[in-house]
Amino acid sequence: MGIQIAHIVPIAEFIQNKKLLIPHFQRPYKWAVKNVIQLLKDIDRFKNQPSYRIGTIVIFRNGEGDFLVDGQQRTITFLLIIKALSRLQPETGMSDKIIKRVKEIERNVFKPAFKSMVSKSNIQDNFREINRRISQLDEDFVTFFLDQCTVNYIVLDQVSEAFQFFDSQNARGKELEPHDLLKAFHLRELQSLRQPLSEEETGLLVNSWENMNQGELSALFADFLYRIRGWSKGKSSRYFSKNDVALFKGINLEKTDCYPYVRIYEFAEQHLISQNKTDRQFFPFQLDQMIINGRHFFEMVEHYKKVFDSIENQFAKLDVQANEIIKVLNSYPGRNRTGDRYVRMAFNCATLYYTDKFGFHDISIAIEKLFIWAYTPRLRLQSLQFASVDNYVVRDQNIFSIIRDTINSEDVIRLEFPGVKGGHITEKTEAIKDLFIKMQYYED
């Protein structure tokens, strides 16, 4: 790894590096007030110790400057603390010497610009809290923060190595969500291409990612992409964690040495280039296809985020029976119980997997079949945990592997499932039972 510098640096020295830059691909500043309070408390708690190490800063250095690859959240918080300290007056008990020093440091710190409204909002909230608390701290805190609080400062001269270091560091921690680790990995893949995207193109991809609601993005991976990919392979897919991110790491079309299995993706890519059709709608995304690293990963996620957000649009043109099923699923009394949400999620995943492969061919009949398949365990079991749903999919009746292996939609709509006899029926599931009776899948 091309490490240029690796040493321990005091905060005062680190933040006065005017070559520091926050690259456009960084996520917004998301530290909340509680994170800031904890940092201030930790610094105050350790101020009688020789030093206090506050994590690792990873820098990619080129002719333009020192780009922060890892450590942005802490760095911005350091800047806010310095800004608040620079406003201290003698009446707070601080000596003229320390006040003068802090003001001098504040003049020399790098001053990043922020476009993200998320960053701006969090900066305002956190600065307000820091400014309120800083007057309650003594001069020992200030000198300790500037000189004894340190960071492990690592400078790399290859951006791909910087992202690799970032990925390996955060994969062992708990701070980042799995999809954040994937973002870092695929940005690294973008930078390693023989003809990397321009800064503007990369910025558009990253901005599109960051403009998504991050909670919804997390749900997209955990409830949709992860489970469909896992279940279609016959694998238990209960909870998406950092240990599962390899499922979304695939091939780089410039690094595969023309393996035969990659040719179909290369042909699609070449066709897009020849037709100047670079928009994601023209690339043949499929939920269970090989992941294509870099640009197409980001485009795929945005594509399926739109699909995920418009689940109800999948049911726009249904016949009477299928339409009644959707109405019941959206209104029956037990729909918001934990177990019922699990089976609805399985139903939605199966429906989306079906339409992803076959479009809307025979969609009404497919809805009927998928409803019977998904809600059978709801009527059979009194208590329904996600483990029950996962076991049902993988061991009992894996509709996902059936859809994966079929050639046309008729193979799905011809499926027959065993009916439910008796079961555990309450007032909250009576409407589901009535549909099963009407469709001749229930016996008392």
Side-chain angles (χ1 to χ4, degrees):
M1 187 172 288
I3 296 179
Q4 293 184 332
I5 296 173
H7 58 186
I8 307 304
V9 179
I11 298 297
E13 178 183 339
F14 164 58
I15 60 174
Q16 290 185 83
N17 177 4
K18 289 189 176 181
K19 292 184 179 180
L20 281 174
L21 296 168
I22 296 179
H24 56 80
F25 50 72
Q26 276 285 15
R27 59 179 177 158
Y29 175 63
K30 292 187 176 181
W31 265 29
V33 168
K34 65 179 182 180
N35 303 114
V36 170
I37 293 174
Q38 187 61 56
L39 176 61
L40 292 173
K41 286 183 176 179
D42 288 344
I43 294 172
D44 194 49
R45 181 160 58 94
F46 286 103
K47 68 184 180 183
N48 295 319
Q49 301 297 318
S51 66
Y52 175 48
R53 185 80 49 78
I54 312 180
T56 298
I57 303 294
V58 180
I59 299 294
F60 161 59
R61 175 174 291 170
N62 64 13
E64 298 178 25
D66 290 356
F67 292 89
L68 268 168
V69 175
D70 191 19
Q72 177 201 195
Q73 307 292 311
R74 280 161 288 151
T75 300
I76 295 173
T77 306
F78 296 157
L79 294 176
L80 295 179
I81 294 173
I82 289 293
K83 184 70 174 178
L85 288 173
S86 71
R87 295 185 172 190
L88 291 175
Q89 300 298 320
E91 53 265 29
T92 61
M94 298 292 172
S95 67
D96 291 340
K97 180 179 179 181
I98 198 69
I99 291 175
K100 181 178 179 181
R101 185 187 177 201
V102 170
K103 290 184 183 296
E104 180 66 21
I105 291 174
E106 198 278 330
R107 282 193 291 269
N108 290 319
V109 299
F110 89 107
K111 294 179 171 60
F114 300 95
K115 296 181 180 180
S116 167
M117 294 306 297
V118 174
S119 295
K120 291 179 180 180
S121 177
N122 288 330
I123 285 171
Q124 290 173 353
D125 291 343
N126 292 348
F127 180 72
R128 190 180 302 113
E129 182 65 23
I130 292 170
N131 200 47
R132 186 179 71 82
R133 288 175 173 267
I134 215 77
S135 60
Q136 304 170 16
L137 301 171
D138 56 24
E139 192 166 311
D140 289 342
F141 174 92
V142 179
T143 56
F144 182 75
F145 171 69
L146 295 175
D147 300 324
Q148 272 73 54
C149 287
T150 62
V151 293
N152 187 21
Y153 190 72
I154 296 176
V155 179
L156 302 165
D157 57 10
Q158 296 292 326
V159 69
S160 61
E161 292 176 344
F163 277 121
Q164 185 177 11
F165 192 94
F166 166 86
D167 199 5
S168 64
Q169 289 290 304
N170 286 287
R172 291 192 292 270
K174 296 182 179 180
E175 180 181 351
L176 297 182
E177 295 284 344
H179 64 271
D180 288 318
L181 296 175
L182 286 169
K183 173 190 169 185
F185 171 81
H186 287 284
L187 281 172
R188 184 183 76 203
E189 290 292 288
L190 268 177
Q191 299 295 328
S192 66
L193 298 176
R194 289 192 295 270
Q195 295 182 327
L197 296 184
S198 68
E199 182 175 340
E200 180 181 1
E201 290 172 316
T202 303
L204 287 174
L205 289 175
V206 175
N207 288 337
S208 176
W209 177 284
E210 294 297 351
N211 287 335
M212 298 182 203
N213 180 291
Q214 295 300 295
E216 294 175 359
L217 185 59
S218 178
L220 171 68
F221 276 95
D223 295 340
F224 180 30
L225 299 179
Y226 166 66
R227 289 189 174 133
I228 289 178
R229 290 182 71 83
W231 282 339
S232 68
K233 295 177 172 63
K235 296 180 179 179
S236 175
S237 302
R238 299 186 183 182
Y239 304 106
F240 184 49
S241 72
K242 65 184 182 182
N243 297 322
D244 303 303
V245 296
L247 193 64
F248 296 96
K249 296 179 181 181
I251 56 174
N252 185 320
L253 293 179
E254 294 189 10
K255 294 182 177 180
T256 50
D257 298 325
C258 296
Y259 293 140
Y261 80 92
V262 178
R263 287 175 185 168
I264 187 171
Y265 303 112
E266 292 176 333
F267 290 157
E269 178 78 356
Q270 291 166 7
H271 176 71
L272 294 181
I273 294 172
S274 66
Q275 298 295 314
N276 196 30
K277 293 180 179 179
T278 57
D279 190 83
R280 61 195 160 276
Q281 65 179 308
F282 294 102
F283 199 89
F285 293 123
Q286 296 288 169
L287 284 165
D288 55 5
Q289 77 177 49
M290 177 71 67
I291 295 294
I292 304 173
N293 293 344
R295 175 167 63 93
H296 288 309
F297 169 79
F298 289 101
E299 293 172 339
M300 180 199 75
V301 171
E302 184 177 356
H303 167 71
Y304 283 115
K305 179 63 168 62
K306 290 180 178 179
V307 173
F308 183 70
D309 287 343
S310 59
I311 288 176
E312 293 300 322
N313 292 340
Q314 303 280 333
F315 314 134
K317 297 180 180 179
L318 301 176
D319 65 18
V320 175
Q321 179 69 72
N323 192 51
E324 183 182 1
I325 289 172
I326 299 304
K327 287 183 177 179
V328 169
L329 295 187
N330 289 338
S331 62
Y332 78 98
R335 67 189 182 281
N336 291 322
R337 295 181 302 180
T338 301
D340 294 72
R341 289 200 300 267
Y342 289 147
V343 292
R344 180 61 188 267
M345 180 271 297
F347 170 78
N348 286 345
C349 283
T351 303
L352 291 167
Y353 191 41
Y354 175 91
T355 56
D356 188 62
K357 183 167 184 176
F358 299 117
F360 294 95
H361 292 285
D362 301 313
I363 183 61
S364 291
I365 304 176
I367 289 291
E368 296 176 24
K369 297 291 184 177
L370 298 176
F371 163 69
I372 295 297
W373 167 80
Y375 279 80
T376 290
R378 174 65 285 174
L379 297 186
R380 285 180 177 171
L381 301 175
Q382 182 175 7
S383 176
L384 191 60
Q385 303 299 319
F386 187 70
S388 308
V389 176
D390 185 63
N391 289 336
Y392 174 71
V393 174
V394 176
R395 300 176 187 175
D396 296 344
Q397 187 75 60
N398 192 334
I399 197 72
F400 296 90
S401 63
I402 293 172
I403 294 174
R404 180 198 65 203
D405 295 336
T406 54
I407 296 175
N408 56 61
S409 59
E410 292 180 3
D411 294 329
V412 177
I413 65 175
R414 283 200 296 260
L415 288 172
E416 290 295 334
F417 303 104
V420 176
K421 295 182 180 180
H424 296 273
I425 312 301
T426 68
E427 291 181 1
K428 293 186 176 182
T429 53
E430 193 70 35
I432 301 297
K433 171 190 171 183
D434 291 343
L435 283 175
F436 269 64
I437 292 174
K438 186 175 182 179
M439 298 167 67
Q440 300 182 3
Y441 277 94
Y442 187 88
E443 295 181 25
D444 285 317

